């Protein structure tokens, strides 16, 4: 029986009943691909109709048209390339079979792609055409460049099962469900608000003012898919939105989550967001200052002008099928005890501004968050998520040559911390890790990096859970140490301690006789002898144990942790 086009009139690409059973049966013979985080988001929104009029992943002509002209070959406005990225071998297999089965991380079959085109692509060129640059300070460019894919794959999607949403499943809706909800409620005007941040009072006022201006209800439509690294986790943000919702008053606002993978593409992304909100049934869409902005470039300059997004979307206003409400920044004016647009604000409002960095500092240090900035019910949730430093977990990461004294200082520090804090401390000593977690690894650069990544992963989990991790490997390479710093700092404190005891002293000590063996050529690739050690330039502390004993060294670290606020 030939496969039929079951694209439904609601834009959904789901296949049902016998047809689905047959497709699933056939899929056993076809190659399959585990979707990345971004692909999983894209697939879900293709399948539920949020990306209508797309019926699958774009082929080459559509991809190029979208990147260069923001149009599909059939003339439809569509600004964002939606592709599958594969390695060469996987791509060739998909081309040969003409079908590709898409799975989630656990291996569950979600969809089948009827492969129409497979082509090699150059990531740098694609980034330049799409973003106007290939600056890796841009989070999505960095993601693109880090990908190992070599080919793009296009083809129609036949959906079998929607990707599962574990986080607040009751707050995820298909476009058809949201449209039906608005119709049932008799909400004929709905203004949608996009955000990837917790909502403070300014955001609340923006949405309220926008709704009032056009006589509409509010749809809070935050992105919970892939956002900017370092953003407040979705689980916390959603609780903030839930707490804020009653402020709009009965029957004035709704909350629905959008599992979108943002590209942080500024103006182009604003246009995309508008089309998606139109598909979900919103009649109006707020575009504020620096919409979907990626922050600063590697020269410390903004990637886009603050109102570029509004201007671009304005240009297409006749075509997008949703009315854009461009909004200026609003500020708190103490004289009016309320929020007003910047041009209406009095001089005094200058003293009522709080940057994101300042907010995070106040949260971390347990300081007051003013009510004019954030409603107390929202601050309370943020506080729970950002405990002050003395209640956060932290990692002390030692690096240094063999026999430099890392393990001894780490042991002394562990004892001190246990006594002083009464908390549990985990010591991930280089030698010990190599007998369990990394028992199969040798000392090539690749294996050493893998060893440090594993230690970093365990330390980041301990830190995330509010614990204390001490790591004491040689960790001779700077890049992977920085990777561990990034991994851990996301979740709590990170202190790098360089045990900088010189090679001559380490060799003089030689407690395991390893330097002697290395000098004699019995051990090859020994750090400091015939293998590199990159001394850190970013260490918080540097301690030479030639003349400093372990207890004194441990005390220096305790003093540092206390000064940083991690210890009472
Ligand atoms: S690394 O580079 O961070 O992965 O090294 P690490 O896991 O800390 O392991 C270092 C311990 O292994 C022993 N050893 C060697 N060290 C360096 N180079 C070579 N080739 C080597 N072969 C074995 C050595 O005892 C190290 O322990 P410490 O405690 O540092 O002396």
């Amino acid at each position: 029986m030939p496969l039929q086009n079951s694209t439904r009139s609601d834009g959904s690409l789901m296949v049902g009943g016998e047809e689905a059973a047959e497709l699933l049966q056939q899929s056993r013979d076809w190659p399959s691909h585990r979707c990345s985080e971004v692909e999983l988001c894209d697939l879900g929104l293709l399948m539920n109709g949020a990306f209508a009029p797309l019926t699958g992943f774009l082929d080459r002509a559509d991809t190029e048209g979208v990147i260069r002209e923001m149009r599909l070959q059939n003339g439809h406005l569509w600004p964002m390339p939606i592709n599958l990225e594969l390695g060469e071998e996987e791509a060739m297999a998909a081309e040969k079979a003409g079908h590709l089965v898409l799975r989630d991380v656990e291996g569950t079959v979600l969809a089948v792609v009827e492969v129409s085109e497979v082509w090699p692509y150059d990531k740098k060129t694609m980034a330049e055409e799409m973003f106007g640059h290939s600056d890796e300070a841009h989070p999505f460019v960095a993601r693109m460049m880090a990908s190992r894919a070599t080919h793009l794959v296009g083809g129609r999607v036949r959906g079998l099962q929607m990707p599962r949403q574990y986080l607040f499943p009751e707050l995820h809706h298909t476009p058809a469900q949201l449209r039906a909800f608005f119709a049932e409620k008799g909400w004929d005007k709905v203004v949608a608000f996009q955000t990837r941040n917790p909502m403070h009072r300014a955001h609340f006022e923006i949405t309220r003012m926008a709704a009032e201006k056009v006589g509409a209800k509010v749809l809070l439509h935050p992105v919970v898919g892939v956002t900017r690294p370092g953003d407040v986790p979705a689980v916390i943000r959603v609780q903030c939105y839930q707490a804020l919702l009653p402020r709009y008053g009965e029957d004035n606002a709704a909350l629905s989550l959008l599992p979108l993978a943002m590209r942080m593409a500024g103006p182009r992304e604003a246009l995309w967001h508008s089309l998606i909100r139109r598909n979900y049934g919103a009649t109006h869409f707020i575009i504020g200052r620096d919409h979907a902005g990626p922050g600063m470039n590697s020269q410390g300059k903004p990637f886009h002008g603050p109102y570029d997004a509004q201007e671009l979307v304005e240009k297409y206003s006749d075509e997008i099928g949703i009315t854009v409400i461009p909004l200026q920044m609003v500020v708190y004016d103490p004289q009016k005890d309320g929020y007003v647009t910047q041009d209406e604000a009095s001089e005094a409002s200058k003293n009522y501004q709080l940057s994101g960095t300042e907010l995070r500092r106040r949260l971390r240090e347990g300081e007051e968050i003013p009510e004019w900035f954030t409603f107390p019910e929202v601050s309370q949730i943020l506080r729970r998520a950002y405990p002050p430093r003395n209640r956060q977990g932290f990692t002390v990461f030692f690096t240094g040559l063999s026999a430099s004294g890392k393990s001894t200082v780490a042991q002394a520090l562990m004892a001190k911390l246990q006594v002083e804090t009464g908390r549990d401390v985990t010591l991930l000593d280089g030698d010990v890790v190599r007998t369990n977690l990394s028992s199969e690894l040798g000392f090539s650069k690749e294996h050493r990096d893998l060893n440090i990544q594993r230690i970093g992963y365990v330390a980041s989990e301990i830190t995330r859970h509010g614990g204390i991790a001490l790591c004491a490997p040689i960790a001779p390479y700077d890049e992977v140490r920085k990777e561990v710093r990034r991994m851990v700092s996301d979740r709590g404190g990170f202190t790098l301690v360089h045990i900088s005891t010189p090679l001559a002293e380490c060799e003089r000590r030689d407690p395991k006789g390893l330097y002697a063996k290395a000098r004699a050529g019995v051990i090859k690739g020994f750090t400091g002898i015939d293998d590199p050690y990159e001394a850190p330039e970013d260490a918080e502390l540097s301690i030479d144990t030639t003349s400093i004993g372990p207890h004194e060294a441990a005390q220096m670290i305790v003093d540092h942790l206390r000064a940083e606020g991690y210890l009472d």
Side-chain angles (χ1 to χ4, degrees), residues 401-403 406-407 429-431 434 443 448 451-452 472-476 512 514 523-527:
L401 296 170
S402 176
K406 300 179 302 289
S407 305
D429 185 66
D431 261 347
R434 281 186 172 275
F443 290 90
R448 288 185 199 255
N451 179 38
I452 301 308
I474 294 178
K512 301 177 198 161
L514 293 174
I523 302 177
K524 299 264 186 269
F526 195 80
T527 307

Side-chain angles (χ1 to χ4, degrees), residues 74-196:
N74 63 14
H76 267 109
L77 189 64
W78 186 266
M80 203 57 78
I82 305 294
N83 304 104
L84 279 175
E85 294 184 342
L86 269 64
E88 182 162 12
E89 211 175 299
E90 242 191 334
M92 292 305 115
E95 187 170 42
K96 190 157 166 239
H99 289 87
L100 183 66
V101 181
L102 299 185
R103 298 175 188 268
D104 66 11
V105 275
E106 284 112 35
T108 305
V109 174
L110 302 176
V112 168
V113 180
E114 293 173 351
V115 176
S116 54
E117 202 166 2
V118 173
W119 71 103
Y121 78 119
D122 179 52
K123 284 177 244 171
K124 194 157 175 277
T125 311
M126 188 166 176
E128 274 159 10
E129 289 186 342
M130 188 171 149
F131 295 101
H133 60 81
S134 55
D135 186 338
E136 292 194 36
H138 187 291
F140 202 82
V141 172
R143 187 184 275 268
M144 277 173 85
M145 301 307 277
S147 149
R148 297 217 178 98
T150 52
H151 287 68
L152 297 179
V153 174
R156 188 164 70 118
V157 164
R158 330 269 340 269
L160 292 168
Q161 188 178 315
M162 284 299 291
R164 208 179 283 282
Q165 299 298 344
Y166 291 98
L167 197 64
F168 302 104
E170 71 286 3
L171 293 178
H172 285 80
H173 307 99
T174 65
Q177 283 170 334
L178 265 196
R179 286 197 301 261
F181 170 81
F182 299 147
E184 189 190 312
K185 289 266 192 188
W187 291 8
D188 52 357
K189 282 187 184 171
V190 176
V191 52
F193 181 62
Q194 137 84 29
T195 183
R196 36 168 270 271

Side-chain angles (χ1 to χ4, degrees), residues 251-329:
D251 214 30
N252 280 332
L255 168 63
S256 182
L257 309 181
L258 182 65
L260 176 78
M262 289 182 71
R263 271 59 170 181
M264 309 309 301
R268 181 190 281 274
E269 179 127 358
L271 193 57
W272 189 41
H273 287 179
S274 311
L275 296 173
I276 295 170
R277 272 40 182 243
R278 175 205 60 197
N279 288 340
Y280 275 95
T283 54
H284 294 73
F285 184 51
I286 299 172
I287 298 192
R289 199 176 175 279
D290 196 23
H291 189 100
M296 300 293 177
N297 66 17
S298 49
Q299 266 80 56
K301 302 231 168 69
F303 280 104
H304 306 285
Y307 298 108
D308 287 1
Q310 290 179 351
E311 279 164 25
L312 180 84
V313 180
E314 200 60 50
K315 265 207 333 225
Y316 293 94
S317 57
D318 291 348
E319 253 186 280
I320 50 181
I322 188 166
T323 308
V324 162
I325 308 183
L327 272 189
Q328 305 287 315
M329 279 273 278

